Every structure is written in structure tokens, then in C-alpha cells.
Amino acid sequence: MAFGDESPAAAGGADLESARIFSVVARLGNVRAAASELGMSQSTVSRRIAAMEESFGAKLFVRSSEGVNLTDVGRSVMQITDGLESAARRLKTVSDSVKRKTVVTISGSDGIGGYWIPICLAGFSEQNPGITVQVKCGDVGRLADVARAEADIDITYSLPRDGDSCVIGHGTMPFQLFASKDYAEKHGLPETLEQVLDHPVAALESYFLRGVGDGHWNAFADLLARHPRVTYRVNSALALGFAIRSGWGIGPQPAMVAMTEHSMVPIPRSVYSSVVKFWLVMHRDTKDNPAPRAIADWIKRRFIKGTAGLAEFTVSPDIL
């Protein structure tokens, strides 16, 4: 098989870059797809593979109607090059982090990014004027890929499983029911969870799912399934907060809302209370970079002092 028509002599042999290209072609089983992922021309990829084959004196791939398949020699090479893509991503993560210098990207849900982070990081910019905090809000439960430099710090409700993610701390956020002051004055408040059926309810989509949080979470999810008046159903924590404040009904909010939103009335936690776990995640190769570290240390101090409000937070002692 000849991958390219031009002489491969100038393209290099079994160098690291060619090995990385080989690894992508082997993983995808298609030269065109590999070229697209690598951002190279198909002819360049073919020449690099041809140069490797010339240096080995053996074919690494054979063509098929669906793409390319590894030969026995190719499979032996793949065992050696298997970790190169991961290493290249880690190098890119470090490079991108250094290039950003003073821009630190934090990812989280819109409730985290639009509500929790501004409160928790209040005063940070005054003491760290050279650092820009960039917040990326995503869907609840979505993990940002810190290994691909999608974020410097990911605040997530799902415990990461990959080896490159480093948990720098974990916390629990308690929730309880709230209503607007106007609503409470006009309609009163429930005294038991069952009495919530007598009130209109506003809720996040995730509240309809069992097993997301502890405490009364599952009981409330079951209640929502049979509730006659779910007046506002949304996938945005910020939108839910505005809906409750605007009188759409009662609904769960972080307990810290009692400290920050004086137009909302907390309903006793004996009626409903739940706890949601969250994790702060960084890449192991960039967790000690000065700017992201400054934010991580700030979060650590804020939670330990309790000034972020009604949440428990534990810092991994070997990390921070």
C-alpha cells in the first residue's frame, strides 16, 4: 500500500509527531478523518505514514473498502504510541494555560456561574487586579473537559473519573423551599411536604429525577410527579429563582438564598430539605499555575470562614 505518491524522505521517519499522526489514523481507521482531526491535509498525513513505513521497512496499514486496518507490525507500533495523544493533550493544556496567563476560566451550571461564583469571589478582583475571571455556564451535570483545556476550574455535580482530573475540594449545598414574600402573605406556606400539593410549584427539570440529592430529594421528586399545579418548569437555576421571586409558586433554592434574597421567604427545613454534592476540579498539570491557584485558594478561605453562606466545604489536604 502506498499512502502518498510523493517521496516520503523529507517527511521524517519514526519521529514523535509522525507517531502521533499514526496513532490518530489507527484510532479512527480512516486517513481523511484523521487529517480533519489533526488539522492537516490528507496528503501530509499519507506522506508521514509512508515515511514511517519506509523507516520500518514494513507496511503499518492495509486499505479496505471502509478505510485502513492495522497490520501485525502496525499493531506492535500502536502498543508503543497509544499514550502519545494523551501526552499531546496534556502539553496543549499547559501551553494554553500559560498563554492565557491571567485569564482563568471557570465552568459550572448557570446557577453556579450566575449566582454562586459572583458571591463567593466577591472582593477577589480588588485583591487580584491582574486576573480576569471568565465563567462558562453549561447544563447541570455536564463535566467540562479540563484535560482539553475547556476550563481551568470545573465546578461540577458529578465526580470526575479520568486520571488527569484532580479534585481540589468537595462540598455540599443544602436546599430548602422558598416563596416570595407577597405569595406567603396572600396564600400562606405549607407546614408539611404533603401540603405542598396545595400550592403551585416552580421547579428545575432535575428536581423531577430521583437520586440527584439526599434528604427529601426523592420524596419531592415523587410529589412533583403527581402534583396538579407545576406552574413553571425550567432547566435554568437562575430562571427558577426569578420565577419563585415573581410569585409563580414555591420551589427549592439553595439555603444561602435566605442570606442574599430578602424578597424571598424560606419555608422550614422540616417541610423539605435536601443536600447536593459538588466538586471543584482542576487538571493535575495546571493546578499549581499562579492565577488558577489564586482562585482555588480564595474559594478555600471563603468556605472555611463560612462567608459564602450555608454550605459545607472540604479542601483536599494534599492539594491545597
Side-chain angles (χ1 to χ4, degrees), residues 173-285:
M173 183 70 71
F175 283 72
Q176 65 189 96
L177 295 175
F178 284 82
S180 70
K181 281 187 175 181
D182 289 343
Y183 179 91
E185 291 173 359
K186 291 179 181 178
H187 306 287
L189 298 174
E191 297 181 356
T192 66
L193 185 58
E194 191 67 18
Q195 288 181 9
V196 173
L197 291 170
D198 300 325
H199 296 263
V201 169
L204 272 177
E205 294 289 349
S206 59
Y207 295 154
F208 290 81
L209 305 176
R210 292 175 59 86
V212 177
D214 299 327
H216 293 138
W217 185 282
N218 286 344
F220 189 70
D222 294 340
L223 182 142
L224 285 177
R226 58 190 176 93
H227 199 289
R229 290 190 64 202
V230 178
T231 57
Y232 201 86
R233 182 168 174 167
V234 69
N235 64 349
S236 163
L238 284 180
L240 176 62
F242 279 111
I244 296 171
R245 191 173 68 182
S246 300
W248 281 81
I250 65 176
Q253 289 283 275
M256 65 185 292
V257 164
M259 301 174 60
T260 59
E261 300 293 332
H262 303 301
S263 63
M264 292 171 66
V265 177
I267 297 171
R269 299 187 69 187
S270 58
V271 175
Y272 170 84
S273 66
S274 64
V275 174
V276 175
K277 298 176 182 178
F278 65 94
W279 289 264
L280 268 68
V281 180
M282 297 179 72
H283 194 280
R284 59 176 175 161
D285 291 335

Side-chain angles (χ1 to χ4, degrees), residues 142-166:
R142 177 188 177 275
L143 275 171
D145 191 345
V146 294
R148 294 184 180 273
E150 291 182 355
D152 296 297
I153 300 174
D154 184 33
I155 303 174
T156 175
Y157 299 116
S158 303
L159 182 63
R161 302 295 182 184
D162 66 276
D164 290 326
S165 295
C166 182

Side-chain angles (χ1 to χ4, degrees), residues 5 26 38 44 51 53 65 73 89 93 126 137 144 200 202 233 262 267 279 320:
D5 297 330
L38 291 164
T44 297
E53 291 180 327
S65 59
V73 175
R89 286 196 300 269
T93 298
E126 295 178 9
C137 297
R233 182 168 174 167
H262 303 301
I267 297 171
W279 289 264
L320 291 175

Side-chain angles (χ1 to χ4, degrees), residues 107 112 116 143 146 152-160 165-173 276-284 287 292-293 295-301 303-304 311-320:
S107 63
I112 290 288
W116 182 85
L143 275 171
V146 294
D152 296 297
I153 300 174
D154 184 33
I155 303 174
T156 175
Y157 299 116
S158 303
L159 182 63
S165 295
C166 182
V167 175
I168 64 171
H170 57 89
T172 57
M173 183 70 71
V276 175
K277 298 176 182 178
F278 65 94
W279 289 264
L280 268 68
V281 180
M282 297 179 72
H283 194 280
R284 59 176 175 161
K287 67 180 178 62
R293 182 60 176 247
I295 290 181
D297 285 343
W298 183 277
I299 293 173
K300 167 189 170 181
R301 290 192 298 270
F303 266 102
I304 288 177
E312 298 177 359
F313 187 75
T314 302
V315 176
S316 301
D318 56 333
I319 300 301
L320 291 175

